[in-house]
Amino acid sequence: MDPRRRTDLRRTQAGRPYKSNGYGWSSHLGDAVAGPDVSPYSAAAREDLTGLPPAWIGVGTLDLFHDEDVEYARRLSDSGVPCELDVIPGAFHGFDLVFPKAEVSREFRRGQAAALKGAL
C-alpha cells in the first residue's frame, strides 16, 4: 500500500524478505518511489482516499502486510469508502496459493469472488 515502507516489514515470510518488497515498489514506480508524484492509484495509502471505489481486503494474521492492510482498510472506512476486511487467523502471505484445496483457502477465494461480483 505504501512504497515508503513505514510499517515494520523486516521479518521474512514464505521466502519473501523485506528487501523484496522494496524491489517490487521500485520496479513498479521507478524513480517516483519516494517522491511526491506517485499516483494515488499506484500507492493509495499516500493520498486522501475519499471517492475511491469500494474495496475488499483479505489478509492473514501472519502476513507481512497485515498491519499495513488493516490500517489501509481503516483509512478507507474513515474516508467513507465501503470496505470489507477479511482477516484470516494464522494465515501467511499467499496461503491460498500454497494450500489451494484447504477449506480456509476456498472460503477466502469465495469472499474475493463475492466482492468482485458485488462490484460488477
Side-chain angles (χ1 to χ4, degrees):
M1 298 295 157
D2 191 342
R4 297 168 294 182
R5 299 185 294 166
R6 294 180 299 182
T7 304
D8 183 11
L9 299 176
R10 286 183 286 272
R11 54 191 170 159
T12 300
Q13 277 197 13
R16 299 186 68 201
Y18 175 71
K19 66 182 181 179
S20 293
N21 187 41
Y23 176 76
W25 276 114
S26 63
S27 296
H28 174 62
L29 299 174
D31 293 337
V33 71
D37 298 327
V38 175
S39 165
Y41 295 106
S42 290
R46 301 185 81 174
E47 298 292 330
D48 176 15
L49 306 177
T50 305
L52 287 178
W56 178 89
I57 297 173
V59 65
T61 56
L62 299 179
D63 191 313
L64 72 154
F65 298 112
H66 172 270
D67 295 347
E68 193 171 319
D69 290 357
V70 170
E71 174 63 12
Y72 183 57
R74 184 199 59 77
R75 288 186 59 231
L76 284 168
S77 293
D78 288 352
S79 297
V81 176
C83 180
E84 180 182 348
L85 176 63
D86 191 3
V87 178
I88 310 301
F92 55 87
H93 190 81
F95 76 96
D96 55 321
L97 301 175
V98 176
F99 301 106
K101 294 181 180 180
E103 184 55 32
V104 66
S105 299
R106 292 177 180 193
E107 183 64 27
F108 189 71
R109 286 192 305 275
R110 283 192 287 271
Q112 292 172 344
L116 184 58
K117 183 178 180 180
L120 298 176

